[in-house]
Amino acid sequence: MKFFLSFILTILLSFAFCLFLPWWSIAVASFIVAVLIPQKPLSSFLTAFGALFLLWGGLSFWISNNNDHILAHKVSQLIIKMDSPIGLILLTALIGALVAGFAALAGCYLRKSKV
Amino acid sequence: MYDKSFSGERNTNNKYYAVRWKAHDASNEIKIFNMLNHAKNYADYSAAVTFLQTPGQNCVFATKSGDITLRTQGDWPAKWKGQGDFIMPGFDTSYLWQGMVPQDEVPYQYNPERGFVSSANQKPVDDVTYPYYLGRNYPLYRGYTINKRLNAMTGITVQDMMALQTDNFDAAAGMAKPFILANMNEQALNAAGKKYFDMLKGWDCRNDIGSKGATVFNLFWNKFEAQVYDDEYASAPKIILRPYFGTLIEGILKDSAYKFLDDIATPQKETLADNITAAFNKSIAEMEKLEAVGKLEWEKYKGTRINHLAKLEPLSRLDLPIGGGAQAINATKTVHGPSWRMVISLSATTEAYGVYPGGQSGNPGSKYYDSFVDQWAAGKYYPLWMMTREETGDKRVLAKMSFSK
């Protein structure tokens, strides 16, 4: 239950933050959720990791799909040196997931050290 | 202005160079477009284009009533023959530009007897009669083909002009090929050489898609130029101008004993046949290499590309299927060529057609980024909308912008 709640909250908060703030506000969102809802370190990492992987993966797929992946075809050749929009979307998702995961882990340890 | 401290860190032997650049002079080129937009006749056109000082351009003009003109418009320095071709002593003011070509002596044609005006950047004046020197390196062969073709054409339609603009005939090859065939020592060629020579024999001198003869000719010609001139250049400074493209053709056309044909490094006297056969033999290896990788076809060898400004390949268009070449009217080379093509028919209602190898959007993520490239490569055009006052309600109008004082 905690996992599910954190997962949904991280997604919503990250999405909302990024409407107004720079991309790295996802770290702040994941950190806050991890502080508010106590979980084991590994679970909090995986929660935020999964949440942002889904959010950024889904969002970038949606944006790219609306563009028929034209830009992603070209940029994927520039960045990952292969013509793969999905590869670029997965990479985007992974970056978001790692940032959020470590932010949540930090939040989790902060809470632990206080208790 | 000359300042000895500006060495550019590229000077040699403590020598410093200065250059007079025409673009530093004040002028008002933008005014031309405003004036041309309001121009009604030849006098208005002439008044407008004379504001064009730099860079010089060939400005064509036509009216529905039948007036035509072409001006090689610019504010040209009035030079003596050869002035500025080589470095001159800057401390002696008699070497400076002494004045500009008066605007009424700028090269132009107005309603010439032959009934058309044309330019493919060929030399606009006759050196013998024109009193000023306008430089020496002008492309010759495209203008030659255009004038020849226009002279022979009657009742020209829009489609005829489109076909002319995208024509792939290589006039330089057309002149040189008979000399190559007549002077090739076929006994000195190996089996591969004979095969490629047959391709050259059967070539129609057109730089069309799929043409292998065009590639063979161009590979051969590079080697031929090297064969003829390299011996003379062997002892020349490293960075020195090579002969212009037409020099070798003109040399062998005028004189079968063209003096540069002799290899000065050997005691015997080489002939045109010796040079042609040796050059062809030297180019066989490259032909075989290209054929092995399936790139002997002209458009594959040429590999025309439209580069992104930062030369990022995924944002560019590579290996376009298009013919043409430096000496064809369709002067499409690898990274340079005729981008804007336009045909206008000044019939009762003006009909206009145009195309360019790009798109209406500069955003690489837009489908309009490169949407015209294939149409351009195929030599096709889009109709251009010459909007009239009555068409303001046309459904093609997507947006309106209102100006007020």
Side-chain angles (χ1 to χ4, degrees):
Chain A
M1 191 56 211
K2 267 185 183 169
F3 171 82
F4 192 67
L5 192 65
S6 313
F7 190 80
I8 297 293
L9 210 56
T10 307
I11 287 184
L12 291 177
L13 210 55
S14 297
F15 182 78
F17 274 19
C18 283
L19 292 177
F20 309 102
L21 298 167
W23 70 270
W24 49 260
S25 59
I26 59 165
V28 181
S30 312
F31 182 87
I32 292 173
V33 173
V35 171
L36 289 181
I37 305 171
Q39 286 196 93
K40 288 206 174 80
L42 184 66
S43 321
S44 62
F45 178 85
L46 289 179
T47 309
F49 187 94
L52 258 294
F53 197 89
L54 189 72
L55 178 68
W56 273 24
L59 268 181
S60 51
F61 177 81
W62 183 67
I63 293 168
S64 186
N65 194 44
N66 278 345
N67 176 243
D68 288 329
H69 303 294
I70 294 174
L71 190 59
H73 273 295
K74 292 173 179 171
V75 174
S76 64
Q77 289 172 64
L78 282 177
I79 294 181
I80 57 177
K81 303 287 171 205
M82 53 187 195
D83 185 0
S84 166
I86 292 300
L88 194 67
I89 289 163
L90 290 177
L91 180 69
T92 310
L94 182 69
I95 291 170
L98 284 174
V99 169
F102 284 114
L105 197 62
C108 175
Y109 282 133
L110 178 78
R111 191 189 171 91
K112 269 192 152 181
S113 63
K114 278 203 156 177
V115 172
Chain B
M1 193 184 94
Y2 172 73
D3 182 339
K4 214 180 156 174
S5 64
F6 286 135
S7 71
E9 289 173 9
R10 288 185 298 188
N11 62 314
T12 50
N13 309 332
N14 256 345
K15 282 180 182 156
Y16 299 86
Y17 305 103
V19 68
R20 165 94 194 264
W21 193 32
K22 188 68 188 67
H24 282 145
D25 296 353
S27 57
N28 188 1
E29 274 77 21
I30 299 294
K31 191 168 180 174
I32 305 160
F33 298 103
N34 187 296
M35 289 175 78
L36 281 180
N37 279 342
H38 295 98
K40 299 256 184 288
N41 49 43
Y42 177 62
D44 293 347
Y45 155 87
S46 300
V49 294
T50 45
F51 279 93
L52 174 54
Q53 295 191 7
T54 314
Q57 303 277 336
N58 288 304
C59 298
V60 285
F61 164 85
T63 63
K64 292 203 177 191
S65 55
D67 277 347
I68 51 170
T69 188
L70 183 150
R71 274 180 78 90
T72 305
Q73 178 58 40
D75 193 25
W76 309 108
K79 298 188 285 185
W80 63 80
K81 190 172 181 193
Q83 186 183 3
D85 284 5
F86 306 100
I87 291 162
M88 299 183 305
F91 47 79
D92 184 344
T93 53
S94 63
Y95 282 92
L96 295 176
W97 293 352
Q98 303 299 323
M100 294 293 164
V101 175
Q103 281 301 315
D104 56 355
E105 291 185 67
V106 163
Y108 78 101
Q109 296 177 298
Y110 175 64
N111 289 340
E113 210 171 305
R114 61 180 183 177
F116 65 85
V117 293
S118 83
S119 176
N121 295 336
Q122 70 267 32
K123 191 181 277 186
V125 289
D126 185 342
D127 276 344
V128 180
T129 53
Y130 192 67
Y132 309 102
Y133 175 66
L134 292 180
R136 55 176 97 234
N137 185 17
Y138 288 88
L140 167 67
Y141 300 95
R142 286 180 293 135
Y144 171 84
T145 316
I146 292 171
N147 288 348
K148 204 171 142 188
R149 293 277 301 274
L150 283 175
N151 261 320
M153 287 160 81
T154 48
I156 300 172
T157 64
V158 167
Q159 278 67 36
D160 292 339
M161 286 308 288
M162 290 176 179
L164 185 66
Q165 284 186 346
T166 53
D167 193 277
N168 289 334
F169 177 72
D170 183 329
M175 291 179 195
K177 196 182 140 188
F179 284 84
I180 302 168
L181 300 194
N183 287 288
M184 186 73 73
N185 179 7
E186 284 193 63
Q187 271 76 48
L189 299 177
N190 60 18
K194 283 206 177 72
K195 181 179 78 179
Y196 296 122
F197 186 52
D198 283 340
M199 285 181 190
L200 185 63
K201 270 190 200 165
W203 183 42
D204 53 6
C205 294
R206 297 183 58 83
N207 293 328
D208 287 332
I209 289 176
S211 171
K212 292 179 177 174
T215 311
V216 169
F217 173 79
N218 277 275
L219 291 172
F220 159 75
W221 195 262
N222 293 341
K223 287 281 190 285
F224 181 41
E225 281 195 330
Q227 184 73 24
V228 174
Y229 295 122
D230 271 3
D231 49 320
E232 280 82 8
Y233 274 84
S235 52
K238 229 180 193 170
I239 300 174
I240 192 166
L241 201 62
R242 299 281 300 196
Y244 297 135
F245 175 79
T247 308
L248 181 52
I249 297 179
E250 285 190 45
I252 60 172
L253 248 55
K254 282 187 187 139
D255 182 5
S256 59
Y258 183 49
K259 76 176 211 185
F260 294 106
L261 291 173
D262 178 39
D263 184 347
I264 55 174
T266 60
Q268 71 270 27
K269 192 109 179 143
E270 280 77 11
T271 62
L272 179 58
D274 294 334
N275 277 272
I276 285 181
T277 310
F280 200 84
N281 266 323
K282 283 182 186 170
S283 54
I284 291 170
E286 206 174 340
M287 293 171 193
E288 283 182 313
K289 217 161 106 187
L290 283 169
E291 195 172 27
V293 293
K295 284 199 164 181
L296 199 58
E297 287 84 0
W298 175 242
E299 81 286 1
K300 291 179 187 160
Y301 167 69
K302 177 162 67 102
T304 295
R305 49 160 66 202
I306 313 289
N307 273 334
H308 178 260
L309 275 179
K311 297 193 175 158
L312 299 170
E313 286 201 352
L315 306 188
S316 308
R317 288 291 302 272
L318 313 175
D319 296 314
L320 293 172
I322 182 167
Q327 314 306 332
I329 302 178
N330 175 17
T332 308
K333 288 145 276 183
T334 302
V335 293
H336 185 266
S339 47
W340 175 235
R341 293 198 188 109
M342 180 170 71
V343 177
I344 308 237
S345 170
L346 293 173
S347 31
T349 350
T350 303
E351 274 180 67
Y353 303 86
V355 71
Y356 62 93
Q360 288 289 80
S361 170
N363 176 358
S366 167
K367 64 178 169 180
Y368 301 111
Y369 175 66
D370 56 357
S371 49
F372 299 165
V373 172
D374 296 318
Q375 182 91 346
W376 173 83
K380 291 181 182 151
Y381 295 68
Y382 293 109
L384 305 175
W385 184 16
M386 300 294 290
M387 193 177 168
T388 60
R389 220 171 268 279
E390 293 74 51
E391 290 176 305
T392 49
D394 195 285
K395 64 173 187 292
R396 285 173 290 180
V397 177
L398 299 177
K400 278 182 189 169
M401 195 186 276
S402 302
F403 295 95
S404 57
K405 278 191 181 170

